[in-house]
Amino acid sequence: MEPSWFTLVLDSFWPMLYAGFTFTIPLTLITFTLGIILGFIVALIRLYGPKPFVAVAKFYVWLIRGTPLLVQLFLIFYALPSVGITLGAFTSAVIGFTLNIGAYTSEVIRATLLSVPKGQWEAAYSIGMSWTQSLRRIILPQAARIAIPPLSNTFISLVKDTSLASVITVPELFLAAQRIAAVTYQPLILYTEAAIIYLIISSVLSSLQARLEKKFSQKSDTKELENDTAQRH
């Protein structure tokens, strides 16, 4: 006869996994994509924008990085209705996570763009490329290889941070565990199970991250070898 805890784990596994596939993963993918776009725009503004826009971008990054994500979610979901702005739980989570990820990724993107030698810009200009063409064809491909490890780490952290969406009633994986625990009175078993599911997801993503980094590293080495060969000839 199966022990009661094992039965509980089996019965709760699919509801939690379902919540993960229908809310946790979509929330992660949507907010990371939007956050990358926002971060890229903010990084470009801080590096190349006019001073008034630079000041606004700096204030945004300072504000978001200096306040807890949990507080940001509470402000969007619970505080905005007091001034007549009412948003759904999932929409609030998307906005909150996007703003948060945008601030952090903007610093990563800004640093990687700065890491590309200025000589690359000069070389692009010397062959008649415009600023936009130089950025798209020369600078971004080099910066992307540098940005992959920190951005991948941000993505993995975001998967775990989505558990905070439970506090604004988004029915993601952790909230599913909380609801089952409230009925079964077995929080230790259920929260441990939720932690293991998060651990499995993070481990899979970490493995994919390692393969992605290795692939880009090989491409970079091959390109450098080709350049060296061309210079010798």
Side-chain angles (χ1 to χ4, degrees):
M1 186 175 179
E2 295 178 347
S4 58
W5 67 266
F6 186 74
T7 303
L8 176 60
V9 168
L10 288 179
D11 291 341
S12 60
F13 179 76
W14 291 113
M16 281 195 278
L17 196 63
Y18 177 78
F21 278 114
T22 54
F23 288 98
T24 300
I25 293 178
L27 179 60
T28 301
L29 294 175
I30 292 171
T31 56
F32 187 74
T33 301
L34 294 176
I36 286 288
I37 295 172
L38 177 60
F40 181 69
I41 294 171
V42 172
L44 289 183
I45 290 173
R46 291 194 63 182
L47 288 173
Y48 312 112
K51 288 185 178 180
F53 288 4
V54 171
V56 173
K58 285 184 177 180
F59 177 78
Y60 156 68
V61 173
W62 169 77
L63 180 66
I64 296 299
R65 295 183 70 190
T67 55
L69 174 57
L70 183 61
V71 174
Q72 296 164 17
L73 293 173
F74 266 73
L75 283 171
I76 295 170
F77 185 68
Y78 292 112
L80 286 183
S82 64
V83 293
I85 303 174
T86 302
L87 301 171
F90 191 81
T91 302
S92 297
V94 168
I95 293 173
F97 283 112
T98 297
L99 290 174
N100 190 271
I101 291 297
Y104 282 93
T105 57
S106 71
E107 291 296 277
V108 173
I109 294 170
R110 186 172 68 91
T112 55
L113 288 173
L114 287 173
S115 69
V116 178
K118 291 183 179 180
Q120 296 295 310
W121 285 100
E122 296 169 359
Y125 292 148
S126 68
I127 59 175
M129 286 188 181
S130 65
W131 182 88
T132 303
Q133 290 174 327
S134 302
L135 180 67
R136 179 167 56 88
R137 297 180 181 180
I138 305 298
I139 306 303
L140 285 182
Q142 296 180 63
R145 288 193 292 270
I146 302 170
I148 284 176
L151 290 180
S152 298
N153 290 333
T154 301
F155 181 76
I156 295 171
S157 296
L158 178 60
V159 173
K160 296 175 286 185
D161 289 342
T162 55
S163 61
L164 293 175
S166 63
V167 302
I168 58 172
T169 70
V170 176
E172 48 72 60
L173 195 157
F174 188 66
L175 184 59
Q178 288 180 308
R179 288 175 173 174
I180 299 171
V183 175
T184 60
Y185 302 103
Q186 295 290 345
L188 178 60
I189 294 174
L190 291 162
Y191 293 159
T192 300
E193 183 179 9
I196 292 173
I197 294 175
Y198 278 115
L199 181 61
I200 292 172
I201 295 173
S202 298
S203 298
V204 171
L205 292 174
S206 296
S207 177
L208 293 175
Q209 174 190 357
R211 292 185 179 183
L212 188 63
E213 290 178 15
K214 184 178 180 181
K215 181 178 180 180
F216 272 84
S217 177
Q218 289 175 344
K219 284 185 177 180
S220 178
D221 293 342
T222 301
K223 189 172 183 180
E224 289 179 2
L225 182 60
E226 290 175 351
N227 291 337
D228 291 341
T229 303
Q231 289 176 1
R232 288 173 185 175
H233 290 285

